[in-house]
Amino acid sequence: MTLSYRYLMSPPGAVQEAVEVALDAGYRHVDCAYFYQNETEIGAAFQKKLGEGRLKRDELYVVSKLWNSFHAPQDVKPAFLKSLTMLNLDYLDLYLMHSPMGFPNISGELMPQKDGLLLQSDVDYVDTWRAMEKLVDEGLVKSVGVSNFNISQLERLLSVCRIKPAANQVELHPYLTQPELVEYCKSKGIVLIAYSPFGCPALPCPSGENSPVPLLENPTVNEIAQKHGKTSAQVLIRFHIQRGIATIPKSITPARIVENAEVTGMASEPGALFAPGQWLRCYCHQGRVYDFHLTHKEIQTLEGLNCNTRFIKWNLLGMETHKHFPFSDKKWEVSPGRSASQ
């Protein structure tokens, strides 16, 4: 398993520099999305670094996502090509359906609304998927996958798809371990990619009597970090890696980007990153490998912090009424009687 970088909710002007720092630090898996509205900056970073001649396109693993407004089959390819153009690339390595929920395409609006509620389309994500499969047929993208899909939706897609989803990108961290989804994806050969591995510190923690402390400030996480001489962020990344889950933290701070890279001993020349049947191998300088390892007991302790808390809120503007809303488990707040502060 490996480490990627994600560029969500980053201020304009900061993203290009952050991508350049990440590439110099050894990152080769870059997680993008049309919804993030910064693919032009990321493309400028790619163009600069590839132009320097020290980095080759086949050493990169670039991911983008189809936003909900472009689920209609006729909108899939134009949306893909727009991202591809902004990223200054000839192909993508992985293209994900950002969620199973479709919105109507109203002049390309990201969040089309009426009377304070999101407008919903009745496009079936299966039809969207079939249009995405054609992108693979045309050689525009190497693999396709999904994001924010639950087990039932994955099962339905697997029953009808021609090309199996390569990955499912979902929120995962010790407060939201989703063991059933993790095991299901592993059983089907679908790579699970964890977003918000730090519990999204840029967003406020849920409030309430049993609400958890911010994950990076959790005493248990801090204790394990101190034991290994690492930061809490490094421990959380390592937690996912040892569970066999690819991880995509987000930062625009150069020091933190480099710090997180140190978890995996990442190389500046990682070689092939993706091949059929395997996911993002990282090669290391002079035989350098992972420089610390969480014990089985520590992994279990971190898993025990699970309190089914989501930090990325999809239940807004009436989205939870969408017929393809994937989070019917109602896991939006801490379960009664449970606290993740211990």
Side-chain angles (χ1 to χ4, degrees):
M1 288 303 105
T2 190
L3 187 61
S4 163
Y5 246 81
R6 188 178 206 221
Y7 297 94
L8 167 64
M9 299 188 300
S10 300
V15 172
Q16 181 177 344
E17 179 185 2
V19 175
E20 292 173 11
V21 169
L23 294 175
D24 287 341
Y27 291 94
R28 295 296 182 262
H29 175 185
V30 182
D31 184 77
C32 315
Y34 180 80
F35 180 71
Y36 303 163
Q37 295 290 281
N38 54 22
E39 290 186 317
T40 298
E41 287 189 68
I42 295 172
F46 287 155
Q47 187 174 43
K48 179 180 176 181
K49 289 301 176 181
L50 291 170
E52 291 175 353
R54 293 181 295 175
L55 181 65
K56 298 178 181 178
R57 171 63 185 94
D58 61 7
E59 294 174 338
L60 291 174
Y61 191 88
V62 183
V63 183
S64 188
K65 305 180 191 71
L66 177 76
W67 181 239
N68 302 353
S69 301
F70 309 113
H71 274 210
Q74 67 271 19
D75 290 336
V76 170
K77 185 175 180 179
F80 173 89
L81 292 175
K82 187 170 184 178
S83 284
L84 193 66
T85 299
M86 290 189 291
L87 290 168
N88 285 315
L89 299 174
D90 296 323
Y91 68 91
L92 291 182
D93 298 280
L94 178 63
Y95 196 49
L96 304 177
M97 194 186 312
H98 209 138
S99 92
M101 300 175 288
F103 303 157
N105 184 356
I106 302 176
S107 302
E109 287 185 41
L110 294 177
M111 305 284 279
Q113 301 173 42
K114 183 179 180 180
D115 299 328
L117 296 175
L118 278 166
L119 297 176
Q120 303 175 8
S121 78
D122 58 1
V123 176
D124 191 329
Y125 58 82
V126 168
D127 294 327
T128 306
W129 182 257
R130 287 173 174 148
M132 292 175 64
E133 289 177 324
K134 293 179 181 178
L135 299 175
V136 179
D137 296 337
E138 295 178 35
L140 293 170
V141 61
K142 292 185 176 181
S143 301
V144 284
V146 296
S147 182
N148 299 299
F149 270 54
N150 62 34
I151 292 175
S152 296
Q153 290 164 337
L154 288 171
E155 285 182 333
R156 179 168 179 253
L157 193 59
L158 287 171
S159 71
V160 298
C161 68
R162 182 167 53 86
I163 299 174
K164 187 179 76 173
N168 184 22
Q169 187 180 117
V170 299
E171 181 178 351
L172 279 175
H173 44 73
Y175 288 170
L176 185 67
T177 55
Q178 304 201 68
E180 296 88 356
L181 181 62
V182 170
E183 290 307 312
Y184 178 81
C185 288
K186 287 182 179 179
S187 73
K188 299 299 181 181
I190 298 172
V191 174
L192 208 55
I193 308 175
Y195 69 72
S196 299
F198 306 150
C200 206
L203 297 177
C205 260
S207 58
E209 182 180 351
N210 293 313
S211 295
V213 300
L215 189 51
L216 289 172
E217 300 173 17
N218 185 283
T220 298
V221 177
N222 290 343
E223 181 181 347
I224 293 173
Q226 290 172 6
K227 175 183 174 182
H228 291 278
K230 298 295 179 180
T231 66
S232 293
Q234 289 173 324
V235 165
L236 293 172
I237 292 171
R238 184 68 190 164
F239 168 72
H240 286 298
I241 290 173
Q242 287 187 220
R243 295 176 79 213
I245 297 169
T247 307
I248 47 172
K250 170 258 178 186
S251 179
I252 57 170
T253 305
R256 289 178 180 169
I257 291 172
V258 174
E259 169 192 299
N260 293 335
E262 291 173 350
V263 176
T264 54
M266 300 182 75
S268 60
E269 295 178 326
L273 294 183
F274 186 80
Q278 71 184 75
W279 181 254
L280 300 177
R281 296 179 297 166
C282 276
Y283 296 123
C284 308
H285 282 311
Q286 300 174 348
R288 181 184 177 199
V289 293
Y290 307 141
D291 59 357
F292 79 106
H293 192 278
L294 299 175
T295 67
H296 178 66
K297 183 177 180 180
E298 288 170 336
I299 293 289
Q300 288 184 318
T301 298
L302 291 171
E303 289 175 336
L305 297 177
N306 181 50
C307 51
N308 296 328
T309 295
R310 297 186 189 276
F311 290 91
I312 304 302
K313 304 300 186 185
W314 288 82
N315 60 338
L316 74 168
L317 302 174
M319 203 184 307
E320 66 274 15
T321 66
H322 198 291
K323 67 178 181 179
H324 296 311
F325 185 72
F327 308 121
S328 58
D329 52 17
K330 308 297 182 185
K331 293 176 181 177
W332 298 104
E333 303 296 341
V334 180
S335 300
R338 288 294 306 276
S339 171
S341 62
Q342 301 300 318

